[in-house]
Amino acid sequence: MLALIEPMLHENTLVIPVVNGVPWWYFQGTEGRFSGNHIQAIDPDGSVSKLLPHKHLIGCVVFITAFRNAPAVVTSTNPLLIVLGEINHQITERLETVRLAIEDAGIEARATDNIRDQIWTKVAANLTSNPLSVVTKGTLDQLYADPKLKPLVREVLDEVLLIAAAYGARIRFDPQTFMEMGAGMGAVKTSMLQDFEAGQPLELDAIGYSVVELAKKVDIPMVATQHLLDLTAFIAKQHQN
């Protein structure tokens, strides 16, 4: 996609990638121990990073649950929220311009001075629900409330929170509140379960294996998460065969 739009980029073009999981640009735009690194799980040769200079980017995290009923037909029963942020953590005029445009379209849009905090919040939501939904075929209310599933969900959540903290991120929900909010989303199928049922590839690299890669960079194991991802990958492979 980036290769296709590259000829359209000019000095003031903004690109807002609406992606799940850890974005390829995570180590761009700020100074730090891993500045300039690329994430093998989602950009193994760094080609995506080279195609799009980070000055064009505005980060985006989407908190929307939706059902794909048919091609171009989507239903959502929960509030719609998009959080936007410059990847260098500045509040800028262009950021506010984009926020207002999305808000005018009827979607709640917020600007933040630390988009990576929001990324880790979404990572926690994705990793605690998406892979397990493929394994169990459970909906969000079941994943976060069923007594047989909650211990595993909480174990994965604790691992994600530890890695997020290691990267200096702040998730503003305590674990119990996080679990209750997840259960409160209702009988919603995750996007990964919808993809699985439709025979589509799963976002395991962006949602899961990229996070395990970040954990290895700071020498923190994610044992439960790794096992869950590998089990999900095995089930997906069997399903395709």
Side-chain angles (χ1 to χ4, degrees), residues 137-231:
K137 310 304 181 290
T139 53
L140 291 181
D141 55 341
Q142 294 170 323
L143 297 175
Y144 289 105
D146 188 282
K148 288 185 171 56
L149 299 179
K150 280 177 64 177
L152 177 55
V153 173
R154 179 58 191 268
E155 191 172 0
V156 172
L157 176 59
D158 288 346
E159 290 182 352
V160 174
L161 293 176
L162 185 59
I163 306 306
Y167 281 91
R170 292 182 58 203
I171 295 179
R172 291 174 171 79
F173 300 106
D174 65 89
Q176 183 60 35
T177 300
F178 187 93
M179 299 285 287
E180 291 171 357
M181 290 177 64
M185 299 301 282
V188 173
K189 290 184 178 181
T190 69
S191 58
M192 188 173 286
L193 178 55
Q194 292 184 60
D195 285 341
F196 177 80
E197 292 178 342
Q200 299 294 322
L202 305 187
E203 294 180 296
L204 286 174
D205 287 333
I207 285 176
Y209 287 116
S210 60
V211 182
V212 173
E213 182 180 331
L214 294 185
K216 290 177 180 177
K217 282 181 175 289
V218 291
D219 297 319
I220 299 175
M222 297 188 77
V223 178
T225 302
Q226 179 81 59
H227 288 335
L228 178 57
L229 289 171
D230 290 346
L231 177 60

Side-chain angles (χ1 to χ4, degrees), residues 17-139:
V18 184
V19 295
N20 258 337
V22 180
W24 79 87
W25 51 259
Y26 188 84
F27 291 124
Q28 299 180 30
T30 57
E31 294 299 320
R33 179 180 170 190
F34 302 110
S35 293
N37 281 205
H38 54 267
I39 301 171
Q40 295 289 326
I42 49 180
D43 189 17
D45 59 0
S47 59
V48 178
S49 301
K50 293 172 185 173
L51 277 171
L52 186 65
H54 64 75
K55 68 179 181 179
H56 293 290
L57 289 169
I58 285 182
C60 172
V61 181
V62 178
F63 296 96
I64 294 175
T65 59
F67 292 99
R68 184 176 56 238
N69 306 108
V73 180
V74 176
T75 301
S76 180
T77 57
N78 288 307
L80 310 178
L81 170 63
I82 292 179
V83 182
L84 303 153
E86 297 278 4
I87 69 170
N88 63 3
H89 295 170
Q90 301 297 310
I91 296 294
T92 63
E93 183 177 344
R94 71 179 194 173
L95 175 62
E96 179 61 12
T97 299
V98 171
R99 188 196 70 77
L100 286 172
I102 294 175
E103 194 170 74
D104 287 345
I107 298 173
E108 182 182 356
R110 301 175 188 170
T112 178
D113 61 359
N114 194 323
I115 191 63
R116 287 167 179 80
D117 285 356
Q118 300 297 323
I119 288 169
W120 279 104
T121 300
K122 184 67 181 288
V123 163
N126 279 329
L127 256 184
T128 54
S129 62
N130 276 274
L132 189 57
S133 72
V134 172
V135 174
T136 65
K137 310 304 181 290
T139 53

